[in-house]
Amino acid sequence: MKKKLQNIINKISPYFAIVVILIVWQLLSSTGVVPKYMLPSPVDVVKAFINDFPLLMEHAQATLTEAFLGLTIGTLLGFVIAVLMDRFNFFYKSVYPIMVMTQTVPTVAIAPLLVLWLGYGILPKITLIVITTFFPIAVSLLEGFKSADTDAINLLKAMGANRLQCFIHIKLPSALNQFFSGLRISVSYSVVGAVVSEWLGGFTGLGVYMTRVRKSYSFDKMFAVIFFISAISLILMFAVSFLKKASMPWENTKKENY
């Protein structure tokens, strides 16, 4: 009985904290402790979201298209770089410092340069997303490749397997767990990167919508789009977790055995 009660408490505790925050937020706004133009109430935010829902979906379509294209290219690029760094030590020593340097520069600083060089179309947005998403993929895959069982690799080599066969049967499966961890991070980065790039130029997208409502001081709409972007990121991260379970059924079997 105590165990069941503890499980129920563990499940509802995150939602309980969210409900408490929303109640306090609503009280602060409705009682005038914090002016509504500074902090619109949750009810106002929900109303703004419902009223602008068709417009938000239209802008979200553009943002998700950019995020998907950038994430796909970033994932492929990260995979290729990780394979080359694992295979060639010289390539690892040459490229890894440059990869780290690309992550130390803020995306807000890179975005204006990309717009200057590539224009106001979709190309600078995709480029910024690729820059922000390939690094977690490359690093997580490299760590996965390095953690492969050396004894299993030596056994395959003793049986006549070549490098490609060792990679496919040993290194790649051992790196899947780290790959999905990196992909979960890159998915959220892709949406944020798309929004940041849209702040500095463009005609459609959630970042463009945010810029317009900010300039008109419609902070209820601003909060609505912020929560909408957060919801999109959470949904995409959940989709990655689902894909991981489908791609790695043996991990689910291990958890059930424990």
Side-chain angles (χ1 to χ4, degrees), residues 26-226:
Q26 180 67 39
L27 290 174
L28 289 174
S29 181
S30 59
T31 56
V33 175
V34 180
K36 282 196 173 184
Y37 67 87
M38 293 180 60
L39 184 68
S41 68
V43 174
D44 294 332
V45 173
V46 172
K47 288 180 180 178
F49 177 79
I50 294 173
N51 292 335
D52 273 16
F53 183 75
L55 185 60
L56 284 169
M57 293 303 296
E58 180 182 343
H59 285 291
Q61 183 178 1
T63 300
L64 289 175
T65 300
E66 297 160 2
F68 176 77
L69 292 174
L71 179 64
T72 302
I73 298 172
T75 301
L76 294 174
L77 180 63
F79 179 81
V80 172
I81 291 176
V83 171
L84 292 175
M85 286 195 299
D86 178 65
R87 176 65 181 85
F88 304 104
N89 190 46
F90 174 78
F91 188 84
Y92 168 76
K93 291 182 178 180
S94 302
V95 173
Y96 191 79
I98 299 175
M99 287 175 51
V100 174
M101 287 176 60
T102 62
Q103 304 305 304
T104 58
V105 182
T107 54
V108 178
I110 300 175
L113 295 175
L114 294 176
V115 172
L116 178 65
W117 295 334
L118 304 174
Y120 288 93
I122 194 174
L123 189 57
K125 300 174 178 62
I126 293 177
T127 304
L128 182 64
I129 296 168
V130 170
I131 292 173
T132 57
T133 57
F134 88 96
F135 183 79
I137 298 293
V139 171
S140 59
L141 276 173
L142 181 63
E143 291 296 324
F145 294 153
K146 297 292 185 184
S147 64
D149 190 348
T150 306
D151 293 334
I153 294 174
N154 292 333
L155 177 61
L156 279 186
K157 288 181 178 179
M159 297 171 66
N162 55 33
R163 288 183 180 274
L164 180 60
Q165 290 172 326
C166 292
F167 176 80
I168 293 174
H169 296 290
I170 302 296
K171 286 197 169 187
L172 190 58
S174 67
L176 282 179
N177 195 23
Q178 289 91 333
F179 165 72
F180 282 109
S181 298
L183 184 60
R184 192 179 296 111
I185 298 171
S186 294
V187 161
S188 61
Y189 281 4
S190 66
V191 178
V192 174
V195 172
V196 170
S197 63
E198 289 166 353
W199 284 349
L200 301 170
F203 306 100
T204 184
L206 294 175
V208 175
Y209 176 87
M210 289 181 70
T211 303
R212 291 173 180 172
V213 298
R214 178 179 58 84
K215 289 181 178 179
S216 62
Y217 297 97
S218 302
F219 291 110
D220 53 344
K221 296 180 180 180
M222 176 68 78
F223 275 90
V225 70
I226 289 172

Side-chain angles (χ1 to χ4, degrees), residues 229-240:
I229 293 170
S230 299
I232 291 174
S233 298
L234 289 173
I235 292 171
L236 292 176
M237 291 173 70
F238 176 79
V240 172

Side-chain angles (χ1 to χ4, degrees), residues 236-254:
L236 292 176
M237 291 173 70
F238 176 79
V240 172
S241 299
F242 179 80
L243 182 62
K244 177 183 176 181
K245 290 180 180 179
S247 303
M248 303 174 64
W250 60 88
E251 288 290 328
N252 301 330
T253 305
K254 287 181 182 178

